[in-house]
Amino acid sequence: KMALYNFKKIMVVPTSKEFIDITLSKTQRKTPTVVHKHYQIHRIRHFYMRKVKFTQQNYHDRLSQILTDFPKLDDIHPFYADLMNVLYDKDHYKLALGQINIAKNLIDNVSKDYVRLMKYGDSLYRCKQLKRAALGRMCTIMKRQKQSLEYLEQVRQHLSRLPTIDPNTRTLLLCGYPNVGKSSFINKVTRADVEVQPYAFTTKSLFVGHMDYKYLRWQVVDTPGILDHPLEERNTIEMQAITALAHLRSAVLYVMDVSEQCGQTLEQQLELFNNIRPLFANKPLLIVANKCDVKKISELTEEDQKIFADLTAEGISVIETSTLTEEGVMTVKTEACDKLLAHRVDGKMKGKKVHDVLNRLHLAVPAKRDEKARPPFIPEGARIGRKTMEVDAPKQYWDLMNQDEKYDVIPEIWEGHNIADYIDPDIMKNLEDLEKEEELKVKAGEYETDEESEDEEMQEIRQLAKQIREKRKLKIVCSKDKDVHGPRLPRTVKKVERKTLEKEMGDLGLDMTGKDDSHYAVNARRSRSVGVAKKRKREASVVPTSRTRSQSASRPPRDQSGVRDPKMAKQAKKLMKNQQKDMNRQGKKGEADRHVFDLKPKHLFSGKRKSGTNDHR
Amino acid sequence: MRIEKCYFCSGPVYPGHGTMFVRNDCKTFRFCKSKCLKNFKKKRNPRKTRWTKAFRKASGKELTVDNCLEFEKRRNVAVKYQRELWSKAVEAMRKVEGIKRKRQAQFVFNRLKKGKQLEKEEAISEVKKNIHLIKAPHAGKAKVMEEKMVQKLQDVEMGDD
């Protein structure tokens, strides 16, 4: 049902003159405008063909939009279809749309023909004339649609103002003679504000109001008054009411004026009621005896009271109301709503959808085979044993060889092994075989550690080998540590101290005691003695003059100068060591070693700079 | 609940650990840690990756064929629960484990025996070649030699006389 909201979304239908103007000006603006006769012919042709096609396209699009926007009477709810028929005349409506469709096709054909012709245009003038002809024809077609377009525009305006009545929801429909009090009723019951006037046909179309009852939304539809004449003679206004009555599945509230202020007698009102009775088929019906503040039913004549009595006897409830004093209005509302709800529920029960649910609620009853009564039997034990039903059920269903093992907790894992992998009916036999095998192996001596306790010689050899290896490593390290700056001098240039020589040779096991007479010692002494003698000669002749010379021998070493006692010396030494700690830890040669080995360490310079410091990342 | 084997390193995958990869031909691969998974994705052969058990078995570094290894085997036949069978199996399992460890240790020991021999020989040759680094060749013999020389000289003198 594309009905409701789409009626408001229909695009404005322009008049034919407007239509033409819009399309032509659009063509002029949106297509290229400059062309000269010295252009190549295909370019000129293309230029004019484009204009023709553009115009055609525009017309086509707009007309198609109109055609799709307007609802098709076959596609919408029959209530709306009928209503539109009543209001706008179905035939006229269809004709108008048909005309539009024809116009669209004609325009398409015109464009096709002229584009084809333009392919053979050999000069600018010819192409231009063709274009003029094409556009002219298209516009003439549109001019002829003036009537249809006007009509459609009016239809659109009226359509957008129709009240949004949902034909499928709960509805209360008010009907009756003009001036009986239908509009007053709807004003009282809903928030609608329908015009109430003393003259007839104040309400000229359908009005909708909404109200709430039992947490549901209800529609109340107010109709224009119906007069009592046959269907063919009814005018548009009355026909709307009839349409509503015919198509809406609602509860009907037939409003009667007891006081006859509307200008009709009760008999006439009853006549009307009987005439339109067929329209109330399958709808819950309620008679509202309005204006009871003026005259109550009990104040009526016998005959008139009989009318109401007859109606009540037929099963139609009659309720007295007064929209002025609001007496009975609520009663009417509640009764009408309840009736409608019951009716709708009945309808649903008879429908097909209910069965989906009902089918799942089937109670299976065994077929009786004889007259013996077989009521359900619950033994005593079941009643008592209900408690045992609460215990964990699954374990009861294992089909084991030994039933009392059902509740055992089966171990699954032991020390990283799956016990399930070891389960084998022959496991004990295999184990026996394995143990026998093991015994044999042990006997055969396979597990003997076989470590012949090595003789002393071997142990000594090992010890020596160890020492040799250590010594070698040490030597390698020493040679690597040597700071070789400058040219490599031969070994003999460096003077070997007697002390180091004796120590080394001592480590190697030689006896170096009492070697004062040995060659190397004598040589060492001799070289020294010569130097000493020379020095002594010099010193004997020259008298020391400067103080530095005389004091050079007596100058204390730097770590003893200015130091009073051993305690202070210790402290001084401690200070010295402390100062050197950091340098030593960083492997620096001394104070002056400020060399940085790695100016740009990779870990500080790689990666994105997120939160963190530059000292470490 | 069972402890699975990692496809790559053959280590235990405890429940709740590791990942499983299912290939299009429905073969499942379990991995104990992402290291194994990453290696697998790099298409490395576990039999050539040195730290895996598969490598060790394939290159003969560990005991492969033995009766005690036949006990732990995945059997596809379900056995109905019997209490005595299960309890016996658990006992048997412990004993088998003991024997298995002994045999594995022995296997490794036998494999490493040759190395010990080589080590011995190497020590001997080292000492023979480089003894001079810790002991001078005539270390304790200097005095003896001196005495010998003195004796010789005396002998010569005596001879002269």
Side-chain angles (χ1 to χ4, degrees):
Chain A
K1 176 191 63 144
M2 55 187 236
L4 257 41
Y5 287 104
N6 281 13
F7 288 175
K8 300 194 198 285
K9 278 192 191 161
I10 305 175
M11 286 285 296
V12 178
V13 181
T15 61
S16 72
K17 192 155 169 293
E18 259 179 41
F19 209 148
I20 295 169
D21 284 342
I22 291 169
T23 314
L24 287 180
S25 73
K26 201 167 183 184
T27 313
Q28 204 214 358
R29 278 180 296 126
K30 303 267 181 185
T31 51
T33 47
V34 180
V35 73
H36 295 292
K37 43 179 199 206
H38 59 76
Y39 285 178
Q40 299 200 317
I41 189 63
H42 68 85
R43 192 171 161 188
I44 296 172
R45 280 191 200 132
H46 182 78
F47 174 84
Y48 284 113
M49 270 200 266
R50 188 168 167 180
K51 291 212 183 261
V52 171
K53 276 197 227 162
F54 189 86
T55 317
Q56 177 260 327
Q57 191 68 41
N58 263 311
Y59 273 128
H60 182 99
D61 287 342
R62 279 202 95 136
L63 292 173
S64 311
Q65 194 183 40
I66 292 172
L67 287 171
T68 46
D69 274 350
F70 275 91
K72 270 202 235 159
L73 291 178
D74 307 319
D75 285 348
I76 53 179
H77 194 269
F79 166 64
Y80 278 103
D82 243 359
L83 195 63
M84 282 176 73
N85 183 17
V86 164
L87 292 170
Y88 319 125
D89 189 13
K90 186 165 72 174
D91 297 331
H92 195 172
Y93 179 81
K94 278 193 173 172
L95 267 171
L97 287 177
Q99 291 285 339
I100 300 284
N101 197 20
I102 291 171
K104 184 179 79 166
N105 288 337
L106 284 175
I107 290 174
D108 287 345
N109 287 341
V110 161
S111 143
K112 245 192 284 181
D113 287 337
Y114 277 90
V115 162
R116 228 180 284 147
L117 281 176
M118 201 144 349
K119 280 195 238 172
Y120 303 104
D122 46 6
S123 71
L124 180 127
Y125 178 75
R126 290 247 166 87
C127 291
K128 187 171 182 181
Q129 296 301 82
L130 283 171
K131 165 221 156 207
R132 271 189 78 202
L135 294 201
R137 277 180 76 164
M138 288 192 231
C139 294
T140 323
I141 295 170
M142 280 322 294
K143 252 198 277 187
R144 290 208 299 261
Q145 303 308 316
K146 182 160 164 226
Q147 305 280 6
S148 310
L149 289 169
E150 273 175 18
Y151 169 75
L152 284 174
E153 175 59 20
Q154 284 178 359
V155 166
R156 184 196 73 86
Q157 283 180 0
H158 198 269
L159 212 47
S160 66
R161 293 204 187 99
L162 281 184
T164 52
I165 301 175
D166 185 351
N168 290 326
T169 182
R170 301 157 286 273
T171 322
L172 299 179
L173 196 58
L174 295 162
C175 60
Y177 259 100
N179 259 8
V180 293
K182 302 187 287 302
S183 304
S184 326
F185 186 83
I186 193 176
N187 282 345
K188 280 280 176 278
V189 166
T190 67
R191 279 206 63 173
D193 204 6
V194 187
E195 222 187 309
V196 177
Q197 294 287 345
Y199 61 86
F201 290 103
T202 320
T203 315
K204 288 190 266 287
S205 63
L206 300 172
F207 283 96
V208 191
H210 296 272
M211 66 177 197
D212 293 319
Y213 177 70
K214 277 193 182 164
Y215 308 103
L216 296 167
R217 279 249 119 158
W218 296 76
Q219 278 179 147
V220 184
V221 178
D222 182 25
T223 64
I226 319 171
L227 294 171
D228 192 10
H229 40 227
L231 197 63
E232 303 80 34
E233 292 170 31
R234 293 199 185 280
N235 59 29
T236 323
I237 303 173
E238 292 171 320
M239 277 310 290
Q240 288 182 53
I242 301 293
T243 316
L245 270 174
H247 289 284
L248 295 176
R249 282 172 58 230
S250 60
V252 179
L253 299 170
Y254 185 76
V255 187
M256 296 179 82
D257 186 355
V258 183
S259 66
E260 298 178 1
Q261 272 182 353
C262 57
Q264 324 288 346
T265 61
L266 275 171
E267 286 82 18
Q268 286 172 316
Q269 293 187 34
L270 185 64
E271 261 296 312
L272 173 64
F273 176 75
N274 288 327
N275 280 344
I276 58 176
R277 199 76 185 267
L279 286 169
F280 302 156
N282 296 340
K283 295 190 172 87
L285 181 58
L286 208 74
I287 301 220
V288 181
N290 206 11
K291 304 193 192 174
C292 70
D293 53 318
V294 177
K295 206 175 208 178
K296 287 218 182 304
I297 294 183
S298 38
E299 297 167 21
L300 280 174
T301 62
E302 273 291 323
E303 297 167 354
D304 295 336
Q305 278 197 27
K306 195 167 150 318
I307 298 173
F308 286 111
D310 283 340
L311 289 169
T312 327
E314 285 178 44
I316 309 164
S317 36
V318 179
I319 303 176
E320 285 194 285
T321 58
S322 167
T323 49
L324 203 63
T325 61
E326 295 195 38
E327 186 190 319
V329 169
M330 281 300 130
T331 341
V332 167
K333 177 177 149 184
T334 45
E335 237 206 87
C337 292
D338 288 336
K339 269 194 169 177
L340 182 61
L341 273 176
H343 177 80
R344 278 170 78 99
V345 168
D346 275 339
K348 279 189 183 145
M349 288 298 289
K350 286 181 209 153
K352 286 184 255 172
K353 286 187 197 172
V354 200
H355 287 299
D356 286 344
V357 178
L358 281 181
N359 280 343
R360 290 181 222 159
L361 302 175
H362 176 63
L363 176 67
V365 177
K368 283 194 173 188
R369 56 182 167 153
D370 56 22
E371 292 309 314
K372 186 172 174 188
R374 290 185 174 83
F377 171 68
I378 302 170
E380 270 306 309
R383 276 184 248 264
I384 297 164
R386 209 181 274 177
K387 282 179 195 158
T388 58
M389 292 277 181
E390 290 163 3
V391 183
D392 38 15
K395 288 186 182 169
Q396 292 186 349
Y397 301 133
W398 301 149
D399 172 27
L400 297 174
M401 295 195 200
N402 201 350
Q403 288 299 310
D404 56 349
E405 290 172 1
K406 269 192 293 193
Y407 299 95
D408 283 1
V409 177
I410 305 176
E412 287 171 30
I413 294 173
W414 175 76
E415 273 209 12
H417 302 279
N418 294 309
I419 293 177
D421 290 344
Y422 285 83
I423 303 297
D424 190 15
D426 324 317
I427 192 170
M428 294 321 288
K429 185 163 83 62
N430 292 341
L431 180 66
E432 269 182 49
D433 293 339
L434 183 74
E435 287 190 324
K436 275 188 207 150
E437 208 183 299
E438 192 66 18
E439 264 185 58
L440 291 172
K441 277 199 175 176
V442 170
K443 273 196 201 145
E446 272 189 39
Y447 293 114
E448 303 277 307
T449 44
D450 220 34
E451 225 175 281
E452 37 188 64
S453 46
E454 288 184 327
D455 46 350
E456 276 212 31
E457 194 195 327
M458 203 54 227
Q459 278 178 359
E460 220 189 287
I461 289 174
R462 277 198 206 272
Q463 185 76 10
L464 286 173
K466 191 169 161 195
Q467 284 177 1
I468 289 168
R469 283 190 211 116
E470 274 179 33
K471 191 76 192 283
R472 272 183 89 181
K473 283 195 190 141
L474 220 65
K475 283 196 138 195
I476 292 169
V477 169
C478 280
S479 97
K480 280 197 178 154
D481 269 350
K482 262 196 283 189
D483 227 9
V484 183
H485 294 303
R488 267 193 185 167
L489 300 168
R491 187 176 52 89
T492 45
V493 162
K494 204 171 53 177
K495 234 186 178 176
V496 180
E497 291 286 315
R498 181 181 168 185
K499 252 197 321 195
T500 51
L501 177 70
E502 289 192 340
K503 183 167 177 289
E504 225 181 276
M505 288 300 156
D507 287 343
L508 283 175
L510 296 168
D511 180 23
M512 302 297 272
T513 55
K515 292 278 181 179
D516 282 338
D517 301 330
S518 64
H519 180 251
Y520 65 85
V522 166
N523 268 0
R525 252 179 284 138
R526 202 184 299 145
S527 58
R528 207 192 338 147
S529 67
V530 167
V532 167
K534 278 195 184 154
K535 225 179 182 179
R536 277 201 197 121
K537 269 189 191 162
R538 247 194 260 127
E539 274 186 45
S541 55
V542 175
V543 175
T545 47
S546 60
R547 255 179 120 217
T548 50
R549 276 277 174 131
S550 65
Q551 280 184 348
S552 64
S554 65
R555 183 176 274 180
R558 291 235 310 258
D559 59 349
Q560 286 170 21
S561 71
V563 172
R564 276 169 287 168
D565 45 32
K567 185 174 159 217
M568 198 174 173
K570 209 172 160 191
Q571 221 173 11
K573 193 159 185 195
K574 194 171 165 196
L575 283 173
M576 177 191 79
K577 293 276 182 201
N578 274 341
Q579 193 204 27
Q580 287 175 353
K581 245 195 245 175
D582 274 338
M583 290 189 297
N584 291 344
R585 202 185 306 130
Q586 289 172 12
K588 293 196 192 283
K589 265 198 276 182
E591 284 177 2
D593 182 2
R594 290 179 286 268
H595 179 73
V596 179
F597 287 93
D598 193 354
L599 282 168
K600 291 180 94 176
K602 187 173 177 187
H603 69 283
L604 294 180
F605 286 89
S606 65
K608 293 188 184 170
R609 291 190 149 243
K610 292 185 186 168
S611 65
T613 66
N614 284 351
D615 296 338
H616 60 270
R617 275 153 133 260
Chain B
M1 192 160 45
R2 64 193 324 271
I3 299 174
E4 306 284 351
K5 261 188 167 320
C6 172
Y7 168 79
F8 200 82
C9 66
S10 316
V13 184
Y14 278 81
H17 289 255
T19 43
M20 176 159 85
F21 165 64
V22 182
R23 214 164 48 180
N24 274 358
D25 60 357
C26 300
K27 187 158 173 7
T28 56
F29 300 87
R30 287 177 194 269
F31 304 100
C32 59
K33 49 192 184 286
S34 65
K35 175 181 181 182
C36 301
L37 176 62
K38 282 179 186 165
N39 274 303
F40 175 80
K41 282 199 223 165
K42 289 185 179 167
K43 294 188 168 184
R44 291 207 182 136
N45 189 354
R47 294 168 139 261
K48 291 196 180 169
T49 318
R50 294 195 79 90
W51 52 273
T52 56
K53 257 306 193 251
F55 172 86
R56 304 212 77 205
K57 296 228 156 132
S59 56
K61 296 192 193 291
E62 272 185 20
L63 189 64
T64 338
V65 280
D66 198 66
N67 281 341
C68 63
L69 297 172
E70 298 300 315
F71 278 79
E72 184 166 11
K73 191 170 58 168
R74 189 153 185 180
R75 287 156 252 262
N76 289 325
V77 180
V79 180
K80 255 195 196 158
Y81 177 75
Q82 294 149 264
R83 196 183 288 161
E84 55 164 302
L85 177 62
W86 248 253
S87 50
K88 279 205 195 130
V90 170
E91 274 181 47
M93 200 161 96
R94 293 187 197 176
K95 290 191 192 148
V96 166
E97 187 64 24
I99 294 172
K100 193 181 355 168
R101 285 190 193 167
K102 228 174 29 166
R103 288 195 188 175
Q104 278 172 340
Q106 188 59 35
F107 183 84
V108 171
F109 181 81
N110 290 344
R111 190 163 60 88
L112 299 176
K113 240 196 294 200
K114 185 145 191 244
K116 293 221 165 94
Q117 187 62 32
L118 286 173
E119 215 180 299
K120 217 196 263 189
E121 283 163 22
E122 208 193 299
I124 293 171
S125 81
E126 179 94 47
V127 164
K128 273 198 191 144
K129 282 194 205 157
N130 297 328
I131 189 69
H132 59 88
L133 290 176
I134 49 173
K135 200 158 48 163
H138 58 284
K141 302 185 198 159
K143 280 260 162 56
V144 173
M145 272 189 75
E146 219 181 299
E147 278 165 20
K148 266 194 189 164
M149 288 220 65
V150 165
Q151 191 70 26
K152 243 190 186 169
L153 281 169
Q154 280 181 350
D155 284 346
V156 165
E157 271 184 44
M158 295 293 240
D160 277 349
D161 283 348

